[in-house]
Amino acid sequence: MNYKAYIAKKLNVSVDLIETPPNPDMGDFALPCFKLAKEFRKAPPMIAQELADKLQNEGSDPLFSEVQVAGGYLNFFLDKSRVAEEVLGEVKAKGESFGTSDEGAGKKVLVEFSSPNIAKPFHIGHLVSTAVGSSIERIYKALGYDTVKINHIGDWGTQFGKLISAYKRWGKPEDIKKDPINELLKIYVKFHEEAEKDPSLEEEGREYFRLLEEGDDEITSLWQFFVQESLKEFNRMYNMLGISFDSYAGESFYTDKMPAIVKDLQDKNILEESDGAQVVRFEDENIPPCIIIKSNGTTIYATRDIAAAVYRKEHYDFHKNIYVVGTPQALHFKQVFGTLEKMGHSWASDCVHVGFGYVRFPDKSMSTRHGDVIFLEDVLNEAVAKTKDIIKDSPTCKIIDDIDEVSRKIGVGAVLFAFLKNGRERDIIFTWKDMLDFEGESGPYAQYSYARGRSILRKADASDISYENADFGLLTSKDEYALIKVINRYGDVIREAAEKYEPCVVTRYIIELAQHFNKFYNNCNIMKTEGELQKARLALVDAACSCLKTALNLIGVDVVEQM
């Protein structure tokens, strides 16, 4: 239940004014009356007292055990038994759909994420967009939106002219077929090394791309080979992460749609010539011109993004069109969205750029161009191997039925959690110590908390203890009530994460939920408790596990039953 909204309605004030006190001894919720002082033309303590008197005159409300005036604050203490009954009753009724809603019903949300470049390896940097985008899609889906996952593959552009030039110069067909991605990367790096000595190679690369745009048979055949082999590599990574897509329409998909965009821009007198290129200017907005056609007559990725947005609106009629792309591309998207506005598309405001930071290592940096690449597959495999070693050294190792599967879920989950732990625009500092810390604020800690709860429930089942008809109203101790209040916030957490496009809202909630669960577990001896209280506590364990499982799923992390 949304108790904030209930209190706000009772007081006839905005729900935004209702706060959660920093100390539970000060109440479950509070109304600071300072912001009302100007409206009521009274001192905050007087306003608080008058509101308290008003509530008292209306008659006692069974939800409140006490309403207290403290200076300029009106503090509300909820009836613990009633809250426990309402919250856990709702969890029991809704199961794993608890916290979700249908507020997005009938609205389509597109999420473009991952979008690696063809003929380049899936490196650790790609995981940021992949993890953030997948989580945002899951969050919106939990709110009832009809979501579409789009992988806008980078399969077009001047870089393919460069790659074709490199292939013709140094590529060996037998080597490419044996190990396509690594060999293509090798010759791509070599191209840039040689181009620094001989700048004419850059022009040769541009010419090959021009031939590709014109549909040259030989060049197109080479390009198709690069695309097919790369997709095989990418899909192996997505399978490891448990991620799928609804559309793989990449940049090349929009090549036949760009002439109509250019014509529309020309017809509306939006295009201007600049040093031989065709651009859209934004003098009033203080944004650099958006290049639509380069001086050599070829298109640029901004042209393709404009064509893609128009196609998506016509094809999907989206409510939101979300681009999960690195923060350095913020200017690019301002130009694209600004161009769409100049074209008269009012829905341009429904296009959202969700940026993110870099992955940083204490002593390494990443650049495909220079060959210093950390492959995602290597990172995931190492995470799984390190997790397996940790589990083998654990005293609970013997109870695990499938150590390989458990290690895979925990290892991959640890990486995903670490990448989503903090605000997406912050850089990620990659360290194994923090990522695989089973006691810190990490994925393994959250997964362990779930497995711990499930272990208790298995023991109860083995002892034929049923908690089906538990009396939730018995759960009024400090630790029980604190855990119940955290569980109750889950729906608000999902909505906040969607509003902010921030998976870290979910990860922080997961840690808070796990911490409160473990405190309850340690302070309330569940299996040694007897009678109805034991059943109620088991029901609370079940509710916490259910909430942990679904919250972890929102960030793409699988739970494990044993650990």
Side-chain angles (χ1 to χ4, degrees):
M1 179 177 175
N2 190 331
Y3 295 111
K4 275 190 178 182
Y6 180 84
I7 294 170
K9 187 176 180 181
K10 290 275 291 186
L11 298 174
N12 195 27
V13 297
S14 169
V15 70
D16 295 332
L17 293 177
I18 307 301
E19 297 181 353
T20 302
N23 186 338
D25 292 338
M26 300 166 67
D28 296 298
F29 297 100
L31 171 66
C33 297
F34 307 97
K35 291 182 180 180
L36 300 174
K38 186 175 181 181
E39 178 185 348
F40 286 83
R41 297 187 178 185
K42 295 178 182 178
M46 186 179 294
I47 297 172
Q49 187 60 60
E50 287 182 358
L51 289 173
D53 293 340
K54 177 178 176 292
L55 290 175
Q56 188 174 13
N57 292 335
E58 290 175 354
S60 62
D61 188 320
L63 178 60
F64 306 133
S65 62
E66 184 181 0
V67 178
Q68 181 187 92
V69 175
Y73 290 85
L74 186 60
N75 297 330
F76 294 84
F77 295 80
L78 305 188
D79 182 273
K80 294 181 176 60
S81 292
R82 177 159 178 160
V83 171
E85 289 169 353
E86 290 179 348
V87 174
L88 298 185
E90 186 179 356
V91 176
K92 181 181 177 181
K94 293 185 176 179
E96 291 184 3
S97 67
F98 174 76
T100 64
S101 75
D102 60 358
E103 60 193 68
K107 298 176 182 177
K108 198 176 291 286
V109 170
L110 315 185
V111 186
E112 177 194 307
F113 62 99
S114 196
S115 307
N117 289 323
I118 291 299
K120 293 182 181 178
F122 205 113
H123 61 67
I124 190 67
H126 290 128
L127 183 57
V128 190
S129 172
T130 306
V132 171
S134 177
S135 180
I136 288 174
E137 184 273 331
R138 290 167 188 251
I139 288 165
Y140 270 90
K141 196 166 191 175
L143 294 175
Y145 290 90
D146 180 11
T147 59
V148 180
K149 298 170 283 184
I150 298 175
N151 197 337
H152 188 72
I153 297 291
D155 61 356
W156 207 249
T158 307
Q159 68 267 29
F160 290 97
K162 297 177 181 179
L163 185 61
I164 289 167
S165 172
Y167 180 82
K168 282 179 164 290
R169 287 172 176 272
W170 307 293
K172 296 179 180 179
E174 62 274 15
D175 292 341
I176 300 294
K177 289 179 181 178
K178 184 178 179 181
D179 190 6
I181 297 296
N182 286 323
E183 289 301 320
L184 289 172
L185 173 64
K186 186 185 299 182
I187 62 173
Y188 183 75
V189 170
K190 185 173 178 65
F191 176 90
H192 284 281
E193 290 173 348
E194 295 300 318
E196 289 179 1
K197 305 172 190 174
D198 181 5
S200 68
L201 286 179
E202 293 283 351
E203 182 57 37
E204 180 177 286
R206 286 191 286 271
E207 176 61 18
Y208 277 125
F209 177 56
R210 187 185 66 79
L211 291 173
L212 179 60
E213 284 203 305
E214 292 178 355
D216 180 272
D217 289 342
E218 179 196 5
I219 303 304
T220 300
S221 178
L222 282 174
W223 169 79
Q224 288 173 339
F225 168 67
F226 300 156
V227 171
Q228 291 164 1
E229 292 302 323
S230 297
L231 286 176
K232 292 178 185 176
E233 171 80 1
F234 298 157
N235 283 324
R236 284 197 311 105
M237 294 299 97
Y238 295 133
N239 288 335
M240 289 184 73
L241 295 167
I243 290 173
S244 62
F245 292 88
D246 302 306
S247 169
Y248 282 89
E251 292 184 67
S252 65
F253 179 78
Y254 303 100
T255 54
D256 63 345
K257 299 167 182 59
M258 288 187 288
I261 296 298
V262 174
K263 185 177 185 304
D264 192 17
L265 288 166
Q266 290 171 335
D267 290 346
K268 292 173 178 174
N269 295 317
I270 299 173
L271 276 186
E272 297 182 26
E273 185 175 338
S274 176
D275 297 326
Q278 296 291 310
V279 305
V280 174
R281 295 190 182 278
F282 304 96
E283 290 88 350
D284 297 339
E285 294 87 349
N286 195 29
I287 300 173
C290 178
I291 299 174
I292 301 299
I293 301 175
K294 293 190 284 187
S295 57
N296 66 355
T298 59
T299 57
I300 194 170
Y301 57 93
T303 323
R304 296 186 283 278
D305 275 347
I306 294 166
V310 172
Y311 171 83
R312 290 174 187 176
K313 185 61 180 179
E314 293 174 350
H315 187 70
Y316 295 108
D317 190 23
F318 56 75
H319 171 70
K320 280 183 185 289
N321 181 23
I322 301 170
Y323 299 81
V324 183
V325 182
T327 299
Q329 293 299 314
L331 175 60
H332 164 75
F333 283 105
K334 283 182 180 178
Q335 292 172 319
V336 169
F337 301 161
T339 300
L340 289 168
E341 286 181 4
K342 284 180 173 288
M343 293 171 72
H345 297 305
S346 59
W347 48 263
S349 59
D350 299 325
C351 296
V352 182
H353 171 224
V354 174
F356 55 83
Y358 291 99
V359 182
R360 301 198 182 278
F361 295 77
D363 56 353
K364 289 188 177 183
S365 61
M366 292 182 299
S367 171
T368 305
R369 180 169 294 186
H370 296 289
D372 186 11
V373 180
I374 298 172
F375 290 4
L376 176 60
E377 184 175 17
D378 293 341
V379 171
L380 295 177
N381 286 337
E382 188 168 353
V384 172
K386 287 179 178 292
T387 299
K388 191 173 183 178
D389 289 340
I390 293 172
I391 293 175
K392 281 182 177 178
D393 292 336
S394 168
T396 60
C397 175
K398 294 180 181 178
I399 70 168
I400 296 176
D401 297 328
D402 188 344
I403 191 171
D404 290 331
E405 180 66 5
V406 169
S407 299
R408 182 191 68 79
K409 287 183 177 180
I410 297 174
V412 173
V415 176
L416 285 169
F417 195 97
F419 274 53
L420 299 174
K421 180 179 176 181
N422 297 312
R424 53 180 165 75
E425 293 190 344
R426 292 179 57 183
D427 287 352
I428 297 165
I429 308 301
F430 188 104
T431 65
W432 288 115
K433 181 177 179 296
D434 293 336
M435 195 172 293
L436 296 175
D437 184 356
F438 279 61
E439 296 180 356
E441 297 181 357
S442 66
Y445 172 75
Q447 288 166 303
Y448 174 71
S449 301
Y450 174 84
R452 195 180 204 184
R454 294 298 302 166
S455 175
I456 285 287
L457 297 176
R458 283 194 298 273
K459 289 177 181 177
D461 187 53
S463 301
D464 291 325
I465 301 173
S466 173
Y467 50 90
E468 178 65 24
N469 297 312
D471 182 359
F472 306 136
L474 297 174
L475 300 169
T476 58
S477 74
K478 180 180 178 180
D479 295 319
E480 292 164 343
Y481 186 57
L483 176 57
I484 291 168
K485 287 201 295 183
V486 174
I487 292 172
N488 185 55
R489 285 183 34 238
Y490 183 42
D492 292 335
V493 166
I494 300 175
R495 278 186 288 276
E496 182 185 350
E499 289 169 4
K500 296 180 177 178
Y501 309 101
E502 273 288 14
C504 76
V505 174
V506 177
T507 56
R508 289 169 183 168
Y509 172 78
I510 288 169
I511 292 301
E512 183 183 3
L513 179 60
Q515 289 173 338
H516 276 84
F517 170 74
N518 285 310
K519 192 172 182 181
F520 155 71
Y521 175 94
N522 290 324
N523 294 340
C524 303
N525 199 319
I526 300 162
M527 291 308 292
K528 289 186 178 180
T529 305
E530 296 181 352
E532 293 302 314
L533 181 57
Q534 183 188 59
K535 294 179 182 179
R537 285 179 173 174
L538 287 169
L540 180 52
V541 172
D542 190 33
C545 285
S546 178
C547 205
L548 268 173
K549 180 179 180 179
T550 56
L552 283 165
N553 180 259
L554 288 181
I555 59 170
V557 175
D558 291 331
V559 295
V560 292
E561 298 295 317
Q562 298 172 319
M563 192 167 165

